Amino acid sequence: MGFEMRVYGWIAMTILVIFLYPCLCLDKTNRRSCNIYEGSWVYDESYPLYDSLKCPHIRGEFNCLKYGRVDKQYLKYRWQPSNCNLPRFDGKSFLKKFKGKQIMFIGDSLSLNQWQSLICLLHSAVPQATIIQQGGNHPIKNYTFQDYGVSIILFHSNFLVDIEVKKIGRVLKLDSIKHGNLWKNMDVLVFNTWLWWYRKQLSDYIQIGNKIVKDMDRTKAYKIGLTTWANWVNTEVDTNRTKVLFQGISPMHYNGTQWQKPGVTNCAKETTPINRPSSSLRLPPASYVLQSMLQKVKKPIQLFNITALSELRKDGHPSFHNIFHGIDCTHWCVGGVPVPDTWNELLYASIKN
Ligand SMILES: *[C@@H]1O[C@H](CO)[C@@H](O)[C@H](O)[C@H]1NC(C)=O
Ligand SMILES: *[C@@H]1O[C@H](CO)[C@@H](O)[C@H](O)[C@H]1NC(C)=O
Ligand SMILES: *[C@@H]1O[C@H](CO)[C@@H](O)[C@H](O)[C@H]1NC(C)=O
Ligand SMILES: *[C@@H]1O[C@H](CO)[C@@H](O)[C@H](O)[C@H]1NC(C)=O
């Protein structure tokens, strides 16, 4: 190479570095500040991630394909954050990354929904792997991928605080969390509670301290329950060891006004997402209650902020395609990449570092 060539080479290199450098920085800051929960659903031919009919672990409530759902387009949407890309879910690297760890979902049937989805996502990556199933009954289901030593655990708890059966009936104890000692030994905790706080079926009385009342304002009760939970995290959980996430409220689709079809009272005819940016949506009022309560936690926890992105998926629910054939626009179809699979992609993105 002649001298001139070398000089030009260096000049070219310098120019390249000068121009590339700010881009690299930008890319880094983008990644750091990227809100993965803000974005839109994009049609992607390469989805779904797996065939849900091949997952032997799906419960009848969520098995939409098995129970007659024929439209398939809902399986072909991928969540695209506005300012960065999500890595495609990779079950094998998930299992390697979390070798020897226990991940626990604690909450109502929406936690069950997400737990199911994660089991199927992982199973589809390693279909031959042995899964040890423990405690098929209430309240714990513990599925361990034996070769990797990874346990994916569900702890069913509708309120996080306790329900006790007494002579007078079922009492919701707003200031007591008796299973906390089991939870706090986990490596990752994903909490969720909301579905039952505004209904009366599961509790006959409410107790705070020594006081028992027949009923009270439900938003107030929800706040007290979440405060108990926040205090428990503050005093009991070592967040250096245990990563704590709280799942945002999972929206339902029983009111067509949400998607500009007033008068529609369920999701049965919906086959595509709402085509609007997530930032334009009005969130369920309880999600503001939840966000303000989470600020009482002094330790580093994350809001697993799936409310808005899920709100767009009016097409993601089982509707009549479930084992009971009753309308369900509350839970989500498991399989491929409808909503709970995406929750798990986001979960992976938020806990892997
Ligand atoms: C889950 O099962 C694994 C494998 O048997 C076990 O090591 C682990 O302690 C169990 N975890 C819980 C919370 O039951
Ligand atoms: C967690 O880590 C921080 C920083 O390393 C340390 O200051 C704190 O004492 C640790 N907390 C516990 C409970 O070990
Ligand atoms: C649906 O939502 C709108 C707007 O929030 C409300 O005015 C309407 O009463 C709701 N309809 C039903 C059936 O709850
Ligand atoms: C959660 O997402 C909603 C909607 O995108 C947003 O308004 C809210 O600020 C987010 N909350 C937090 C704590 O980031």
Side-chain angles (χ1 to χ4, degrees), residues 246-282:
F246 204 106
Q247 182 183 312
I249 285 166
S250 171
M252 307 176 192
H253 292 92
Y254 295 100
N255 185 341
T257 310
Q258 278 164 276
W259 59 98
Q260 268 100 43
K261 281 194 205 153
V264 169
T265 58
N266 65 49
C267 59
K269 296 218 165 70
E270 306 305 326
T271 55
T272 54
I274 299 173
N275 185 13
R276 272 195 309 191
S278 61
S279 51
S280 71
L281 295 175
R282 198 161 4 120

Side-chain angles (χ1 to χ4, degrees), residues 35 37-38 278-279 281 283 288 291 295 303 305 307-309:
N35 180 350
Y37 304 105
E38 247 173 55
S278 61
S279 51
L281 295 175
L283 304 178
Y288 299 100
Q291 287 188 37
Q295 284 166 8
L303 172 61
N305 198 1
T307 308
L309 69 94

Side-chain angles (χ1 to χ4, degrees), residues 313-325:
R313 294 307 302 270
K314 59 183 171 52
D315 59 329
H317 301 283
S319 80
F320 294 104
H321 308 298
N322 61 71
I323 194 168
F324 304 118
H325 303 292

Side-chain angles (χ1 to χ4, degrees), residues 81-133:
S82 309
N83 295 319
C84 54
N85 294 318
L86 277 180
R88 195 177 166 100
F89 189 88
D90 178 345
K92 274 193 189 136
S93 59
F94 185 106
L95 288 165
K96 281 182 197 142
K97 185 120 215 159
F98 290 102
K99 193 171 181 65
K101 305 266 195 253
Q102 305 197 67
I103 298 172
M104 187 182 265
F105 295 91
I106 304 164
D108 54 39
S109 52
L110 285 147
S111 297
L112 169 68
N113 212 169
Q114 187 177 2
W115 173 83
Q116 281 260 283
S117 147
L118 185 53
I119 301 283
C120 285
L121 275 168
L122 295 175
H123 166 82
S124 73
V126 289
Q128 309 302 331
T130 307
I131 300 180
I132 304 171
Q133 304 181 15

